[in-house]
Amino acid sequence: MQAANSKTKLNRSLGFWSALSLVVGTVIGSGIFFKQSSVLDSAGSTTNALLAWLLGGLITLTAGLTIAEVGAQMPHTGGLYVYMEAIYGKLWGFLSGWMQVVIYGPAIIASIGAYLGILLVGFFNLSSQWQAPLSIGVIVLIGILNMFENRWGAAFQMVTTLGKLLPIIAIIIFGLFFGNQAAFGQTLQSVSQSNGTFGVAVLATLFAYDGWILVANLGGEIKEPQKMLPRAIILGISLVLVAYTLVTYGILHFVPAETIHKLGQQTTLYFAQAAFGTIGGRLLNIGIIVSMVGCLNGKIMTFPRIVYAMADRHQLPFSKQLRYLNPKSHEPIIATAVILAYASILILFFNPDRLSDLCIFTVYCFYVATFIGVFLLRHRQAGQPRPFSTPWFPLTPLIAILGALFVIVSEIGSDLPGVLLSLLIVALGLPVYYYQRRQTTL
């Protein structure tokens, strides 16, 4: 199979609504449905829990506003990898891409797929032996869809995004108008049994908000990316922030705080059954399944673009094959197949949640570096016009930097062995980088 020639390029065929649905769809997965109890336990009161979701969203919004300025100047396929390379050089760009390609991307796809398999087994009352085959089957089917023209994957993303909004709207409306609890002011008496703090609660919400930056991986396929990419990122994060805050308020207004503490991850299911009966629980499960399928589609659509971008620069082994684009669909089908195969192996033999957790530290290290990069770019390009400028500069990027540093420090304090292992994974990319560099100069 021949590598794609220089004339075969990714198509700029994604419009604003496709980009927006990717932002919303890749963020809203299962977190908002299953993290209510953990955030409340750590926050200690309903008021602090609401503030934690709101603060996490505002920190994420400052991050989006900051990245929007960088992305508008570099509307190319690869996202964070491209930004790091342009700001700090090829080595740091490679390491950011390496981390996402080797562990972070496949592990996130595997973890979502594995949890989706658990939901499907429970929904259809199947044996647990079906969990892995269902997980892999869903991943493969979505992957095949994304091997066609990107408009098909984008259309599927829009449909699933609209689908996942239905249970969210239902929770908000019923909680707001039919709840009789005090959404503000309830204190969780059992919080003394927990080691949580308000900071831990905010950290949990930041993980639930993560994923918005993946739309930048499709920068080379978005129409008018200098305008569309910033708009999609900012509006998408804003919509998620409003949705998360209102869902939390609706649940807290309907379910007593102590009950949420006791129910744990079953809180949202309890809400649906109490509000709409047994059929409500089934419908909510369908909504969550649709939500996770959409989230999975967004990940599968975006992560192979990093592989393609790195291979197009001859930075990976077998770059000739990995950069291949289907002549008809102009999709990186080999890169997609490799990511899917890798994720499937992780589902079969490893704990994907643990693997993806290991890379949270390094992802946020690269986030911080990119946020700082806004200052560097403005210094290097002083006096030059920008397609988009971060509002309230320098306050906005400073808040984004402090938020990311908070995650980094929290990870070091809570999981030092995992942090060291994640750094080792990144370091393993160094010999690959120098080997590939030597091969391309021979």
Side-chain angles (χ1 to χ4, degrees):
M1 183 176 290
Q2 298 296 319
N5 59 45
S6 60
K7 294 183 180 179
T8 307
K9 297 294 182 182
L10 294 165
N11 286 332
R12 287 197 183 275
S13 57
L14 300 179
F16 171 75
W17 294 108
S18 297
L20 179 63
S21 66
L22 275 166
V23 175
V24 175
T26 51
V27 174
I28 301 178
S30 59
I32 186 59
F33 300 112
F34 294 105
K35 282 190 173 290
Q36 294 295 332
S37 176
S38 61
V39 172
L40 178 60
D41 286 351
S42 296
S45 72
T46 55
T47 301
N48 285 342
L50 278 165
L51 288 175
W53 283 103
L54 180 61
L55 183 57
L58 291 174
I59 291 173
T60 303
L61 183 58
T62 62
L65 289 167
T66 304
I67 290 294
E69 179 173 323
V70 181
Q73 296 178 64
M74 308 172 197
H76 311 300
T77 298
L80 187 64
Y81 157 70
V82 173
Y83 307 156
M84 288 292 297
E85 181 179 273
I87 297 170
Y88 298 103
K90 289 186 177 181
L91 174 60
W92 290 106
F94 171 84
L95 290 176
S96 69
W98 169 264
M99 176 272 302
Q100 295 179 79
V101 166
V102 172
I103 292 293
Y104 189 63
I108 286 180
I109 292 172
S111 62
I112 297 172
Y115 193 70
L116 183 58
I118 294 173
L119 285 181
L120 290 173
V121 164
F123 188 82
F124 292 107
N125 295 317
L126 300 174
S127 167
S128 60
Q129 296 177 344
W130 283 94
Q131 180 182 325
L134 283 172
S135 300
I136 295 173
V138 171
I139 286 174
V140 170
L141 286 174
I142 296 175
I144 291 174
L145 174 66
N146 280 282
M147 289 183 183
F148 295 99
E149 290 183 19
N150 56 19
R151 61 189 178 93
W152 293 105
F156 185 67
Q157 188 66 35
M158 284 192 281
V159 170
T160 54
T161 298
L162 290 173
K164 73 175 61 180
L165 291 179
L166 294 178
I168 288 175
I169 292 172
I171 291 172
I172 292 172
I173 292 176
F174 199 92
L176 288 177
F177 294 102
F178 297 96
N180 56 11
Q181 303 296 319
F184 293 100
Q186 291 188 65
T187 301
L188 191 63
Q189 301 298 324
S190 308
V191 75
S192 59
Q193 303 173 7
S194 170
N195 295 322
T197 63
F198 182 72
V200 175
V202 175
L203 183 65
T205 67
L206 285 174
F207 292 159
Y209 279 107
D210 198 30
W212 55 270
I213 198 173
L214 294 181
V215 70
N217 293 343
L218 295 163
E221 300 168 70
I222 297 174
K223 301 173 184 176
E224 299 184 83
Q226 290 89 349
K227 295 180 180 179
M228 298 300 181
L229 188 60
R231 290 176 185 174
I233 290 175
I234 295 166
L235 181 57
I237 295 174
S238 299
L239 289 173
V240 173
L241 188 161
V242 172
Y244 278 13
T245 304
L246 289 178
V247 164
T248 301
Y249 183 88
I251 291 175
L252 294 176
H253 195 229
F254 188 84
V255 185
E258 290 292 338
T259 303
I260 294 174
H261 170 74
K262 293 175 183 178
L263 289 170
Q265 293 187 346
Q266 300 300 314
T267 297
T268 308
L269 179 60
Y270 168 84
F271 176 99
Q273 291 177 338
F276 306 109
T278 304
I279 190 71
R282 300 285 289 178
L283 290 174
L284 180 69
N285 268 335
I286 293 175
I288 295 174
I289 288 171
V290 170
S291 176
M292 297 187 70
V293 167
C295 186
L296 195 57
N297 180 69
K299 310 294 188 188
I300 292 174
M301 190 174 183
T302 55
F303 276 118
R305 267 61 181 181
I306 304 174
V307 179
Y308 167 81
M310 296 182 73
D312 201 40
R313 291 164 172 78
H314 306 285
Q315 291 185 327
L316 293 174
F318 307 104
S319 287
K320 181 179 180 181
Q321 288 75 29
L322 291 173
R323 68 189 289 266
Y324 175 79
L325 297 178
N326 184 295
K328 293 184 178 179
S329 66
H330 296 265
E331 291 297 298
I333 58 175
I334 303 298
T336 301
V338 169
I339 289 289
L340 295 179
Y342 194 1
S344 298
I345 292 171
L346 294 181
I347 288 175
L348 291 172
F349 298 106
F350 298 97
N351 182 343
D353 286 319
R354 178 57 179 159
L355 289 172
S356 58
D357 287 345
L358 290 177
C359 287
I360 289 294
F361 173 80
T362 47
V363 165
Y364 271 85
C365 285
F366 289 116
Y367 280 176
V368 169
T370 309
F371 299 154
I372 294 172
V374 171
F375 294 91
L376 298 177
L377 288 173
R378 287 206 177 195
H379 177 71
R380 295 173 190 171
Q381 303 169 359
Q384 298 182 23
R386 291 181 295 271
F388 176 84
S389 295
T390 300
W392 307 297
F393 184 91
L395 180 62
T396 299
L398 286 175
I399 295 174
I401 290 169
L402 290 174
L405 286 175
F406 169 69
V407 175
I408 292 170
V409 173
S410 299
E411 285 292 303
I412 293 173
S414 63
D415 188 16
L416 183 58
V419 166
L420 295 175
L421 181 56
S422 65
L423 291 175
L424 176 61
I425 293 171
V426 174
L428 290 175
L430 290 172
V432 177
Y433 171 79
Y434 285 110
Y435 175 78
Q436 288 297 121
R437 184 178 178 183
R438 183 169 179 268
Q439 291 296 106
T440 56
T441 56
L442 291 177

